[in-house]
Every structure is written in C-alpha cells, then in structure tokens.
Short mmCIF file of all heavy atoms in Angstrom, two decimals:
data_model
loop_
_atom_site.label_atom_id
_atom_site.label_comp_id
_atom_site.label_asym_id
_atom_site.label_seq_id
_atom_site.Cartn_x
_atom_site.Cartn_y
_atom_site.Cartn_z
N THR A 24 4.70 2.79 6.56
CA THR A 24 4.88 1.37 6.86
C THR A 24 4.92 0.62 5.54
O THR A 24 3.97 0.66 4.75
CB THR A 24 3.70 0.85 7.73
OG1 THR A 24 3.54 1.72 8.83
CG2 THR A 24 3.98 -0.57 8.18
N LEU A 25 6.05 -0.05 5.30
CA LEU A 25 6.22 -0.81 4.05
C LEU A 25 6.18 -2.28 4.40
O LEU A 25 6.22 -2.66 5.57
CB LEU A 25 7.59 -0.48 3.41
CG LEU A 25 7.92 1.02 3.27
CD1 LEU A 25 9.29 1.19 2.69
CD2 LEU A 25 6.89 1.72 2.41
N ASN A 26 6.15 -3.15 3.36
CA ASN A 26 6.19 -4.57 3.66
C ASN A 26 7.62 -4.90 4.17
O ASN A 26 8.54 -5.04 3.38
CB ASN A 26 5.81 -5.43 2.46
CG ASN A 26 6.50 -4.94 1.17
OD1 ASN A 26 7.12 -3.91 1.14
ND2 ASN A 26 6.38 -5.74 0.11
N GLY A 27 7.75 -4.90 5.49
CA GLY A 27 9.06 -5.29 6.02
C GLY A 27 9.84 -4.19 6.67
O GLY A 27 10.89 -4.44 7.21
N ALA A 28 9.36 -2.93 6.67
CA ALA A 28 10.14 -1.87 7.31
C ALA A 28 9.29 -0.62 7.49
O ALA A 28 8.21 -0.48 6.92
CB ALA A 28 11.35 -1.51 6.43
N GLU A 29 9.81 0.26 8.34
CA GLU A 29 9.20 1.61 8.47
C GLU A 29 10.22 2.65 8.07
O GLU A 29 11.40 2.50 8.36
CB GLU A 29 8.75 1.84 9.94
CG GLU A 29 7.42 1.23 10.26
CD GLU A 29 6.77 1.84 11.49
OE1 GLU A 29 7.51 2.49 12.29
OE2 GLU A 29 5.56 1.69 11.69
N VAL A 30 9.76 3.68 7.38
CA VAL A 30 10.67 4.79 7.03
C VAL A 30 9.97 6.11 7.39
O VAL A 30 8.75 6.15 7.39
CB VAL A 30 11.07 4.80 5.52
CG1 VAL A 30 11.86 3.58 5.16
CG2 VAL A 30 9.85 4.95 4.63
N SER A 31 10.79 7.13 7.64
CA SER A 31 10.16 8.42 7.93
C SER A 31 10.68 9.44 6.88
O SER A 31 11.76 9.26 6.31
CB SER A 31 10.50 8.89 9.31
OG SER A 31 11.84 9.33 9.38
N ALA A 32 9.84 10.44 6.63
CA ALA A 32 10.20 11.46 5.63
C ALA A 32 9.54 12.76 6.00
O ALA A 32 8.45 12.79 6.58
CB ALA A 32 9.78 11.03 4.25
N ARG A 33 10.17 13.85 5.54
CA ARG A 33 9.57 15.17 5.77
C ARG A 33 8.41 15.36 4.81
O ARG A 33 7.43 16.01 5.13
CB ARG A 33 10.69 16.18 5.54
CG ARG A 33 10.32 17.60 5.95
CD ARG A 33 11.59 18.42 6.01
NE ARG A 33 11.30 19.85 5.98
CZ ARG A 33 12.23 20.77 6.09
NH1 ARG A 33 13.50 20.42 6.21
NH2 ARG A 33 11.93 22.05 6.05
N SER A 34 8.58 14.82 3.57
CA SER A 34 7.55 14.97 2.56
C SER A 34 7.22 13.64 1.86
O SER A 34 8.12 12.80 1.72
CB SER A 34 8.00 15.97 1.48
OG SER A 34 8.40 17.17 2.09
N VAL A 35 6.00 13.53 1.39
CA VAL A 35 5.58 12.37 0.62
C VAL A 35 5.01 12.86 -0.71
O VAL A 35 4.18 13.76 -0.74
CB VAL A 35 4.51 11.54 1.36
CG1 VAL A 35 3.92 10.43 0.47
CG2 VAL A 35 5.10 10.94 2.63
N VAL A 36 5.50 12.26 -1.81
CA VAL A 36 5.00 12.59 -3.13
C VAL A 36 4.24 11.36 -3.68
O VAL A 36 4.81 10.28 -3.79
CB VAL A 36 6.14 12.96 -4.10
CG1 VAL A 36 5.59 13.23 -5.49
CG2 VAL A 36 6.94 14.13 -3.59
N VAL A 37 2.98 11.55 -3.99
CA VAL A 37 2.14 10.46 -4.50
C VAL A 37 2.15 10.56 -6.04
O VAL A 37 1.62 11.48 -6.62
CB VAL A 37 0.71 10.52 -3.97
CG1 VAL A 37 -0.09 9.34 -4.48
CG2 VAL A 37 0.74 10.56 -2.44
N ALA A 38 2.79 9.54 -6.66
CA ALA A 38 2.88 9.51 -8.12
C ALA A 38 2.50 8.12 -8.58
O ALA A 38 3.17 7.49 -9.41
CB ALA A 38 4.33 9.85 -8.59
N SER A 39 1.39 7.65 -7.99
CA SER A 39 1.01 6.23 -8.16
C SER A 39 0.12 5.98 -9.36
O SER A 39 -0.36 4.88 -9.57
CB SER A 39 0.35 5.73 -6.87
OG SER A 39 -0.72 6.60 -6.56
N GLY A 40 -0.14 7.02 -10.17
CA GLY A 40 -0.90 6.83 -11.40
C GLY A 40 -2.38 6.62 -11.19
O GLY A 40 -2.89 6.81 -10.07
N GLY A 41 -3.06 6.25 -12.27
CA GLY A 41 -4.52 6.06 -12.22
C GLY A 41 -4.86 4.57 -12.23
O GLY A 41 -4.11 3.72 -11.74
N LEU A 42 -6.04 4.27 -12.79
CA LEU A 42 -6.52 2.88 -12.80
C LEU A 42 -6.30 2.20 -14.13
O LEU A 42 -6.66 1.03 -14.31
CB LEU A 42 -8.03 2.90 -12.48
CG LEU A 42 -8.41 3.48 -11.13
CD1 LEU A 42 -9.91 3.63 -11.00
CD2 LEU A 42 -7.87 2.62 -9.99
N SER A 43 -5.72 2.92 -15.12
CA SER A 43 -5.54 2.34 -16.45
C SER A 43 -4.50 1.26 -16.43
O SER A 43 -3.46 1.36 -15.79
CB SER A 43 -5.08 3.42 -17.43
OG SER A 43 -5.68 4.65 -17.09
N MET A 44 -4.78 0.21 -17.19
CA MET A 44 -3.85 -0.94 -17.35
C MET A 44 -3.52 -1.63 -16.03
O MET A 44 -2.36 -1.60 -15.58
CB MET A 44 -2.58 -0.50 -18.06
CG MET A 44 -2.89 0.20 -19.36
SD MET A 44 -1.56 0.21 -20.51
CE MET A 44 -2.33 0.94 -21.94
N PRO A 45 -4.51 -2.25 -15.40
CA PRO A 45 -4.27 -2.94 -14.14
C PRO A 45 -3.22 -4.04 -14.27
O PRO A 45 -2.54 -4.37 -13.28
CB PRO A 45 -5.64 -3.52 -13.76
CG PRO A 45 -6.48 -3.43 -14.99
CD PRO A 45 -5.93 -2.30 -15.83
N GLY A 46 -3.04 -4.54 -15.48
CA GLY A 46 -2.02 -5.59 -15.70
C GLY A 46 -0.61 -5.08 -15.46
O GLY A 46 0.33 -5.84 -15.27
N LEU A 47 -0.44 -3.73 -15.43
CA LEU A 47 0.86 -3.13 -15.21
C LEU A 47 0.95 -2.57 -13.76
O LEU A 47 1.77 -1.72 -13.47
CB LEU A 47 1.16 -2.02 -16.21
CG LEU A 47 1.29 -2.49 -17.65
CD1 LEU A 47 1.47 -1.31 -18.58
CD2 LEU A 47 2.45 -3.45 -17.80
N GLY A 48 0.04 -3.06 -12.91
CA GLY A 48 0.15 -2.67 -11.49
C GLY A 48 -0.69 -1.46 -11.09
O GLY A 48 -0.51 -0.97 -9.98
N ALA A 49 -1.57 -0.98 -11.95
CA ALA A 49 -2.39 0.17 -11.60
C ALA A 49 -3.28 -0.15 -10.41
O ALA A 49 -3.78 -1.28 -10.30
CB ALA A 49 -3.26 0.58 -12.80
N SER A 50 -3.47 0.83 -9.51
CA SER A 50 -4.32 0.57 -8.34
C SER A 50 -4.88 1.91 -7.85
O SER A 50 -4.37 2.97 -8.20
CB SER A 50 -3.51 -0.05 -7.24
OG SER A 50 -2.82 0.94 -6.52
N PRO A 51 -5.93 1.85 -7.02
CA PRO A 51 -6.52 3.08 -6.50
C PRO A 51 -5.76 3.67 -5.32
O PRO A 51 -6.25 4.55 -4.63
CB PRO A 51 -7.94 2.68 -6.11
CG PRO A 51 -7.83 1.22 -5.78
CD PRO A 51 -6.72 0.67 -6.65
N PHE A 52 -4.53 3.21 -5.09
CA PHE A 52 -3.75 3.60 -3.92
C PHE A 52 -3.74 5.12 -3.69
O PHE A 52 -4.02 5.65 -2.60
CB PHE A 52 -2.32 3.11 -4.01
CG PHE A 52 -1.44 3.60 -2.91
CD1 PHE A 52 -1.35 2.91 -1.71
CD2 PHE A 52 -0.69 4.78 -3.05
CE1 PHE A 52 -0.56 3.41 -0.65
CE2 PHE A 52 0.10 5.27 -2.00
CZ PHE A 52 0.15 4.56 -0.80
N GLY A 53 -3.42 5.90 -4.72
CA GLY A 53 -3.27 7.34 -4.62
C GLY A 53 -4.60 8.01 -4.23
O GLY A 53 -4.60 8.97 -3.44
N TYR A 54 -5.70 7.52 -4.78
CA TYR A 54 -7.01 8.09 -4.46
C TYR A 54 -7.35 7.83 -2.99
O TYR A 54 -7.88 8.68 -2.30
CB TYR A 54 -8.08 7.50 -5.37
CG TYR A 54 -7.77 7.58 -6.86
CD1 TYR A 54 -8.00 6.49 -7.69
CD2 TYR A 54 -7.27 8.74 -7.42
CE1 TYR A 54 -7.71 6.54 -9.05
CE2 TYR A 54 -7.00 8.80 -8.77
CZ TYR A 54 -7.21 7.69 -9.59
OH TYR A 54 -6.92 7.76 -10.93
N LYS A 55 -7.06 6.61 -2.54
CA LYS A 55 -7.36 6.26 -1.16
C LYS A 55 -6.55 7.09 -0.16
O LYS A 55 -7.04 7.53 0.86
CB LYS A 55 -7.11 4.75 -0.93
CG LYS A 55 -8.16 3.88 -1.59
CD LYS A 55 -7.95 2.41 -1.36
CE LYS A 55 -9.12 1.59 -1.91
NZ LYS A 55 -8.76 0.16 -2.03
N LEU A 56 -5.28 7.31 -0.53
CA LEU A 56 -4.41 8.12 0.33
C LEU A 56 -4.93 9.57 0.39
O LEU A 56 -4.96 10.17 1.46
CB LEU A 56 -2.96 8.09 -0.19
CG LEU A 56 -1.92 8.60 0.78
CD1 LEU A 56 -1.84 7.72 2.03
CD2 LEU A 56 -0.55 8.65 0.13
N ALA A 57 -5.33 10.09 -0.77
CA ALA A 57 -5.87 11.46 -0.80
C ALA A 57 -7.07 11.56 0.11
O ALA A 57 -7.20 12.51 0.90
CB ALA A 57 -6.26 11.84 -2.25
#
C-alpha cells in the first residue's frame, strides 16, 4: 500500500538503509518491516 495506490509483487527487496543522516530521509522503516 503506497500513498495513493496499491501494487502487487512476487518479491520485495528492502534496501531502505539505516538511521544515519536523517536529514537525507533515513528512517527505521526496514527494521520495522523485518
């Protein structure tokens, strides 16, 4: 579920990075998904 749409996929790759440099959009998203 994205902001504004739903998409489906056979596989999901989480490459959302770590928490370094929050000014560049870093977030705990990947950890929460795991």
Side-chain angles (χ1 to χ4, degrees):
T24 308
L25 312 177
N26 45 351
E29 278 199 341
V30 296
S31 75
R33 190 165 161 177
S34 306
V35 172
V36 178
V37 182
S39 53
L42 300 171
S43 324
M44 307 201 175
L47 295 176
S50 83
F52 173 87
Y54 308 135
K55 287 182 174 163
L56 194 64

